[in-house]
Structures are given as structure tokens and as C-alpha cells.
Amino acid sequence: MMRNSITPTGKLRLLAGCATASLVLGTALGAAAQAQDEDVITVQGFRSSLAQALDVKRDSNGVVDAIVAEDIAAFPDLNLAESIQRIPGISINRVAGEGRQITVRGLGSDFTRVRINGMEAMSTTGGSDASGGSNRGRGFDFNTFASDLFNQIRVTKTTSASMDEGSLGATVDLRTARPFDYGSGLTAAMSGQMGYNSLSEETSPRVAGLVSWVNEEETFGANLSIAFSDRTIIEEGFSTVRWDDGNFRSVNGVACPAGPDCAGINSSSTVYHPRIPRYGRLTNEQERLGITGGLQFRPSASTTVSLDALYSSFDATRTENFLEVFIRSQQGQFDVNSFTVDSGLSIIDSGNFDISANANGTHPIRSEGRYDELTTEFTQFTLNVDHDFSDRLRGNFLAGTVTSDFDNPVQTTILFDAIGDVTGYSYDFRGNLNTPAIDFGSLDVTDASQFAFTEIRDRPQSVTNSFDTFSATLEFDANETWIISGGLNFKQYDFESREARRESTNGSIVCNLPGVSCPVGASGLPITSGLSSVLTGFGNDLGMPAGNDTAWLVPNIQAAAAAAGIYNIPGTVRAGNQRAVSEEDLGAFVQADFEAQLGSIPVRGDVGIRYVETTTSATGLVSGTEVTVERSYEDTLPSLNLTFEMSEDFLMRFGVAKVMARPSLGNLTPGGSLDSFTGPPFSYNAGNPGLDPYRATAYDASFEWYFDDEALFAVSFFYKDVSSFFTSSQSVEVAYSLSGLPANLPPASSPLFNLIQAGGDPLVEISQVSNGGSASVQGFEVAYQQPFTFLPAPFHNFGFQGNYTYVDSDEIIGFSPNAYNATIYYEDDRLSARISSAYRDAYVTTRANGSGRNERGVEASFNLDFASSYRVNDMIDLTFEAINLTDEFEHQTYDSGYLPTVYHHTGTEYLFGVRATF
């Protein structure tokens, strides 16, 4: 179930209605185009970039969209993902206020290939637990790169035999600048910006520069570009880490389960409460450095050699501070003094509680601090040789290597727990479901003497991805109609994930760690001034009730970690994340491109077939033993793309192709992953290295009317018939002792760990991903772009670019049914300004269970950005940008009532700058 979506009662009726509306609008646009002045106008800036992108789309055989830099070292957006979302059919998710991964036509990032300078690449980083944590999948994290490094993005939504396999959604091509992109002589550009964030109230510098030189004969050139940014982002809000039910110690003064009011809110009542209600602040410090270099030379008129190098470093620290109550799995420490139930949402929407410590000295009321150090280093080298053997025979050779190393060497969590009984704690969601009133009763949350340092965790981890690619292609002009091409390519892909947990060695209780001496009878170390500070000023523009705490005691994580000696303790391997995959892909293709006539209608396109062999070696831990499983499979992938030029300005495109995407990396491990926090029954998902790839037949149709210079109205339809979509096999529940899983597998302090330590033998639900049945995804896109040159001055300097996407699927989740992007711009000789919006519907990330509950999702979002520049002279531009003008919240939900799990915001960012071109 989703909100904020359009659910048509009949797809055909909706498509027909859209097509009719397209014709009506198109007629109006055509009339306007005929009325405008036919003088030739020289365009520049943002409008010029739109015109160039339109040329790329128009000249392609398939369905292609592009974004072109509006000037040297001047890409339209600050972040690559933010730029790509302007393309029809693409939506993004955000981390720390900026785009991270993309969804294309309803298919997530695992189904999209990304190439940089013609070579497939992978870049990964980490995030908070709520934003997905460390990326161990096939999805590309775009936030690791500065957009200044690239001068073109090209998204191909159809496929041809000449394109490498591996995508169901789209192939995204990122291109860095090359020397021959510029004329002979010296070309240079530089830019500088200073950002200010409304929530963090911090300034953030950003600089970029490019220098390129080409000799007079234009036979040799070299270029270098550098981009650097230093950014501080604060994220604040409320979260619950999902919702739960459980059995409280007493209700209304009578012990449970005998009390008359217990049954109304116990684990059998289907009435939920928040698992961990908490307010928190996340402080992100980010440094992003990117360097590109290129050499090009033409030893002869028939040969061009290009060497491209790209290096990117994304260094970040993230400090998380939460004031929270762990109701989850600790309901037995809660006396419910009073409560109310929202029967519509089936939740305890308000309650007053007395809370006691656990037997091991920990307490449900906690101040949690977490500190992460995160680094992603990306390095790529690509050699590209183009050679004309004759006027009719051409060849291309490409060789490259790319490595992405993500390292999270420090992921330390410190827990300060309340001491003794706390009376009068209360929460109340009745005023606002997303920002409840919370009162900690008898506890002074700023007083260090009322807390103890009880627990510590540290979970270092890393992810490495690498590609080595070799390809060779020949192209022959058979005659004026046919071009025959063929080629071979080899690709070696390696993935490795590692994680250790120090708290799994000696436990997480501080007083039990070697070298730590707690006072007799104490639940933890006393909190001295050196171990803590007080967080202040919380809640600006959050909208929480006035009585909530805006300051609380927080750990000094480095000092607390040193006091506990956590970094001297060797970590225990985390089996579920200790895994690797190695793939060798050998492919060959034959393709015929043609330009012909069908009667009086020019027809162009391509037809071909691709064959690929994939050999996979997957390694994981099974009951502590490393196991490697090898397998191979073959795919034959025919494709056809046709473009009918019905008139000089109207094109009809049709495409059909067999496509495939390789299985998700997490599903290929011979081992598995255990959820130790939700249950019983707790779930263990076993991997399956025998999985087949996702295979599908893709159908596309696009109708494009270029009704005027720089103008387009287009409607595109797509349908993907997936013949092998993964499903989970029938699960089985067994006692943990009979599961074959190691007793030390559950992390310390998790609910499963606590139950086992208490002598219990809880149930575990074991399931395995298997080769599944069919699925489909379908939808359409509408795009309109036009400068309003037909209007009288000064309105003739305005223009519009926008698109709308509808996606539907019964089997696939993770997409927004409705999404749109719209940009209104103004461009004259000196001033360029635009305001851009991006909307996507709510979408589901986890399906509801058999009883229709526990669905997880993300609410609808609307982002509004502004960008402008003023040309002082031919060399200097002044710039101003505003990102996230409406301070849109990240809003994750749970269950059918859209209960909040995350409700965070990051503020609006303003950037003032100057750009110079020489």
C-alpha cells in the first residue's frame, strides 16, 4: 500500500489518454513555433547545454537522453545523481542531503550499468544504518564524485548488440573532458564557491579548475582537471527504528499477564509501539577530491590514441548522537502507568512509563553516540585507440582498469545508560506523528551523574570492487545502406567484503572488558567531564513540541573508546559480510547498422546479436568455514532498434531486445546473514551461488517531435518482461540450537544474543533466495522542452524543460509510480537563472507480511533548487545557487499506517561563487 500515487483503473485507457493529450499539446506547440521569428539566434549557457543534449538524443538509433555541461568545468548540478534525475524515468535517493543512487524506470541501482569513459565501473561508499549503511551491492554511489569532473552524461534506455550486457534498466555513460574537445592552444577554466547551510550554520568551500593544451597541428594534447570540496552537513530529526509489540511488566498498576489491561497492548494484541523512540543529530564532515587527466595524440590522420585517468577520494566522518529509549525486547522493564490507543493506526500513540534497569546493569534509556570514519578511493586508467584501416574499415581498441576501495576502519558506538529507576517517562504522538512530545520524567538528561558508560561496539569494515576490461571492435561500411560491425570483449570483475566486530570477542559490556575496572556494584564506568559533553541547540526548524529536550549528555567517543581499550581488542569476523565474488565475462557481438527507405520514409537503426559466457566464483563463510562455489552460464541476446523519420521533425522509434543483469552480490554468497534484532522468530537468509541472472525481454516505443529549434515533445512507452525474477523459497522455523549456526554469531547486546545468554533457545526462520518466476514492469514517459522565443520581450528569454514518468509493476518494488521534473529558466547575454523541481511518489522498500503489516517505505518527496550566473565579461561569471529550498525531509515509514521510522532534515544550502574561463 502506498500513498501519493496514481493508480489507473485501466492501463490502456491511461496510455490512450496520454497520447491524446500529447497530440493536443503538440498542435498548440506547433502553432506557436510557426509564429516565431526565424532569425538565427546564438545560444549559450544552460540553454546551449539543453540544445546539445537534444542533438545527442535526436541522432541516436535507440532511446537516449543526455546532459551536457553548459560551460567548461560547469556542470548543471553539484552532484552527479542530482543531474541525472532531470532525465525522464530516473529518480534518486539521498544521503546526508545529496543524491546517492538512481532508479531507472522502476528498476533499482543493481539493474543499471555505469561506464566511465567507455569502461564499466563501480564506486561505493557508506551511510547511516537508516540510509542503507555500506554499499555491498552492484549499485553505483554517485555521491563519491564531484560533477565538475565530467562534461557529459548519457543514459541509454534501449540496448544494442554492441553494448555490453548487464543492465535491465539503463546504461549510464559518464565522460570526462579530453584535450581534443577544445581547439588548439591553451584553454583554462576555474571556479570557486563558498557554501552556507541553514541548519549547520557552517560554510563549505568548493573549488575546481581545468587546463588543456593542444598543439597547432592538433595532433597532440594534454589536460588536467581538479575539483575539491569541504562540506559540513547536520542532519536532525526523529526516528523509531521501526515499530514493535511486546509484553510489558505491568499495565495500570497490575502485573502482567494477569492484569485486565495487559491483553489490549501485549504481543498478541497487534497494537504496536515504537521500538526505539529517539531524537538525534548526525554531523557529516566530507572532503571530496577529484582529479582527471588526459593525453591524446594522432600519429597519423587515421589514428587517434586517448589515455584517460581518473582519481577520486571521498573522505568523511559522521558523528551520530541519539537520546533514546530501547523499548525493543525490554518491555519487561516497563510499567505502563497510562496509555491511549489509536485504533485506526493500531498503535499506542501515547503513554506514561516507569522504567527499570536490566539485570546486566544496562538500561533502556540511553544516550547513544556513534562515530564513523569513511574513505572511498577510486582509480581508473583507460586506453582507447581509434584507427581507420581504410575509408570503409575502422577499428577501436579499449583497455582499462578500475578499482574502488571503500574503507570504514572506525565504526564505534558508545552507550551511556541511565542509572536506576526512572519514573514518569512519556511519549505522545497525538499532536504530530512525525515529531512526538517526549518527556524523560525524573531523569535529568544533561546530568552526567545520572548516567554510566555501560556498553561499547566497534565494527570495522571495507568493500573493494575492481574491473579489468579489454575490448576490440571492427566496423565496415558494406555500402551506402549497411554498416557491419563486430567485436570481442573480456571483463574481469572482483568484489570483496570484510567486516569484524570487536564487541563479539569479549562482549559489549564495558565492565567485563579486559583492563577495565568499574566501581563495585556499578553498572558501568562513571562519566567524567573528559568522557562527555552536552549537545545543545537541537531542533531548529524541526517542528517538535516546545517542551522537548533540546540538550542532552553525549559521549566523547574518542575518549570513551580509549578508556575502554576497544581498539586493542581483536575483532571477530562477521560471517554474513565476509564474502567475495569473482566474475569473468567473455562476450562477442555482430551488428548491422543501416539507413534505408521504406517507401518515402527514411528508416535507420541496428540489428544484432550478442553472446556472453559468465563464470562466477562466490566465496563465503558457512559455520565458520570458508566455502567457494563456482559456476558458469551463457546468454544469447538479440536486439533490434528502428527509427522512422516520418518527417524532418517527427521520429518514431521502436526497440526490442533480450537483456540480462547478473544476480545481486549479497545473494551469491554460500553463507548467509542473520537478523538478530527482529524476533522471535529471528530470520536467517541464506545465499545461493547457483542463482541464474535476471533475464528479460525489453520493448520500447518512442514518439519524438522536434517541432522547433531546441524544442522537443516526446512520449515514450516501455515494457520489460522479466522471466527470472528472484523469490524466497519456503522458509522453515527451527530452534536456534538446531539451525547449525554458531552460538557466537549473534552480536553482543542484540535481542537474540540476550535470549541465548539467558538460557533460551529461540526460533529462527531460515530462508534462501532461489531462481524465481516471472515479473514485469511497464510505464511511459512524457517530455517537453522549449525556449519561449515566440513570446514578446522580455519573456522570450524564458524556457522550460520538464518530464513526467509513470511506472507500474505487480511484482517489483522500490520505485515511485509517479515522478516528474520541471525546470523554468531565463537566459540572456549576461544573466542565466533557473529553478528546478523534482518530485517522486511514495514507494515501498519491503513488502508487508502475510497479515498485511510491517511494510516499509519512503514517503513522497519534492525538492526545489535554484541556480543562476551573471556574466561580468567574456571571462568572468558570478554564480549563486540554492539547494533544497524547501528543506525537504527524509521520511521513511513503517506498516500500513505510514508510521515514522525516520523523519530527518538537512536544511537549505546556499552557494556563492565565481567562474573564470581563459
Side-chain angles (χ1 to χ4, degrees), residues 252-539:
N252 291 332
V254 182
C256 293
D261 297 320
C262 295
I265 55 174
N266 68 10
S267 58
S268 301
S269 67
T270 71
V271 174
Y272 284 176
H273 54 258
R275 299 178 87 218
I276 312 175
R278 61 186 188 175
Y279 280 96
R281 173 186 291 172
L282 293 76
T283 302
N284 297 273
E285 303 278 356
Q286 302 173 344
E287 286 189 0
R288 186 187 282 115
L289 172 66
I291 303 173
T292 71
L295 294 174
Q296 283 188 293
F297 61 96
R298 294 189 179 104
S300 68
S302 60
T303 304
T304 300
V305 180
S306 303
L307 177 63
D308 300 300
L310 169 61
Y311 171 81
S312 176
S313 174
F314 183 63
D315 295 321
T317 63
R318 185 179 62 252
T319 303
E320 305 178 20
N321 291 113
F322 294 100
L323 182 61
E324 60 197 12
V325 178
F326 268 64
I327 306 177
R328 179 206 73 196
S329 303
Q330 300 180 72
Q331 292 91 341
Q333 307 306 118
F334 286 70
D335 295 312
V336 183
N337 301 322
S338 63
F339 68 93
T340 61
V341 172
D342 185 321
S343 57
L345 298 176
S346 193
I347 62 170
I348 304 173
D349 60 355
S350 72
N352 184 283
F353 309 87
D354 294 339
I355 308 172
S356 301
N358 293 297
N360 64 358
T362 62
H363 199 285
I365 298 181
R366 324 184 104 169
S367 173
E368 177 180 343
R370 173 172 152 178
Y371 174 74
D372 284 72
E373 295 179 359
L374 311 104
T375 298
T376 297
E377 286 198 347
F378 179 96
T379 307
Q380 175 177 316
F381 296 97
T382 309
L383 174 66
N384 208 309
V385 180
D386 292 297
H387 179 71
D388 294 341
F389 295 96
S390 68
D391 291 342
R392 300 172 63 187
L393 181 63
R394 298 170 294 281
N396 172 266
F397 171 79
L398 182 146
T401 182
V402 57
T403 301
S404 171
D405 284 314
F406 165 68
D407 194 18
N408 189 180
V410 177
Q411 189 191 98
T412 305
T413 300
I414 305 293
L415 294 165
F416 287 176
D417 284 6
I419 297 173
D421 293 344
V422 174
T423 60
Y425 166 80
S426 66
Y427 70 72
D428 191 343
F429 288 88
R430 292 174 295 181
N432 190 321
L433 192 61
N434 298 316
T435 53
I438 293 182
D439 191 304
F440 283 83
S442 62
L443 180 67
D444 181 351
V445 297
T446 64
D447 183 359
S449 68
Q450 298 187 38
F451 288 85
F453 174 18
T454 58
E455 285 194 84
I456 188 168
R457 298 192 291 263
D458 187 58
R459 300 173 176 179
Q461 53 196 279
S462 61
V463 179
T464 298
N465 291 274
S466 66
F467 283 94
D468 293 306
T469 300
F470 303 91
S471 68
T473 303
L474 288 176
E475 191 174 271
F476 178 68
D477 296 338
N479 52 43
E480 293 184 356
T481 300
W482 294 93
I483 300 174
I484 308 300
S485 61
L488 298 171
N489 76 288
F490 172 80
K491 182 170 58 184
Q492 172 75 45
Y493 169 61
D494 291 296
F495 159 83
E496 185 176 5
S497 166
R498 298 163 296 278
E499 182 180 349
R501 297 194 170 185
R502 301 186 196 274
E503 72 273 12
S504 295
T505 302
N506 296 306
S508 63
I509 303 299
V510 171
C511 293
N512 294 337
L513 297 179
V516 176
S517 179
C518 293
V520 176
S523 58
L525 285 174
I527 299 175
T528 62
S529 59
L531 293 180
S532 66
S533 61
V534 175
L535 181 150
T536 60
F538 178 82

Side-chain angles (χ1 to χ4, degrees), residues 24-255:
V24 173
L25 180 56
T27 303
L29 298 176
Q34 294 175 3
Q36 60 181 298
D37 194 338
E38 295 184 358
D39 291 343
V40 176
I41 300 173
T42 301
V43 298
Q44 58 189 19
F46 181 68
R47 180 177 160 190
S48 173
S49 75
L50 295 180
Q52 293 178 61
L54 220 57
D55 290 340
V56 172
K57 180 179 183 68
R58 187 170 187 169
D59 295 340
S60 301
N61 279 345
V63 179
V64 173
D65 289 287
I67 302 175
V68 180
E70 57 189 278
D71 206 341
I72 302 171
F75 215 74
D77 288 281
L78 296 179
N79 176 282
L80 280 177
E82 304 284 345
S83 295
I84 296 173
Q85 73 170 334
R86 312 294 179 198
I87 288 175
I90 294 183
S91 297
I92 66 173
N93 70 341
R94 289 180 170 84
V95 174
E98 63 176 355
R100 181 179 181 181
Q101 294 186 341
I102 66 173
T103 298
V104 182
R105 290 180 163 183
L107 295 170
S109 57
D110 271 7
F111 300 99
T112 297
R113 293 174 57 251
V114 176
R115 302 190 301 187
I116 300 178
N117 294 327
M119 178 183 172
E120 185 167 358
M122 176 84 74
S123 182
T124 63
T125 186
S128 65
D129 290 344
S131 59
S134 299
N135 180 359
R136 294 184 173 89
R138 295 185 187 268
F140 192 98
D141 288 339
F142 289 91
N143 56 334
T144 57
F145 293 103
S147 61
D148 311 76
L149 300 175
F150 302 91
N151 65 359
Q152 186 179 107
I153 300 174
R154 179 185 176 111
V155 178
T156 305
K157 301 172 186 174
T158 53
T159 192
S160 300
S162 58
M163 296 177 61
D164 288 355
E165 74 294 334
S167 167
L168 296 190
T171 295
V172 178
D173 281 291
L174 310 176
R175 187 179 182 276
T176 60
R178 288 174 171 167
F180 290 169
D181 294 342
Y182 314 105
S184 62
L186 182 67
T187 301
M190 61 179 297
S191 65
Q193 290 179 306
M194 184 60 72
Y196 174 81
N197 184 272
S198 63
L199 185 59
S200 69
E201 299 182 347
E202 296 276 354
T203 56
S204 302
R206 178 186 176 95
V207 294
L210 176 144
V211 60
S212 179
W213 178 83
V214 178
N215 64 359
E216 288 189 12
E217 295 80 14
E218 297 190 6
T219 58
F220 178 78
N223 73 333
L224 177 72
S225 69
I226 299 176
F228 173 81
S229 64
D230 185 350
R231 182 172 180 255
T232 299
I233 289 295
I234 283 181
E235 180 180 339
E236 288 190 348
F238 174 75
S239 59
T240 62
V241 198
R242 304 190 298 278
W243 292 65
D244 205 352
D245 54 24
N247 299 315
F248 293 100
R249 182 167 57 194
S250 70
V251 178
N252 291 332
V254 182

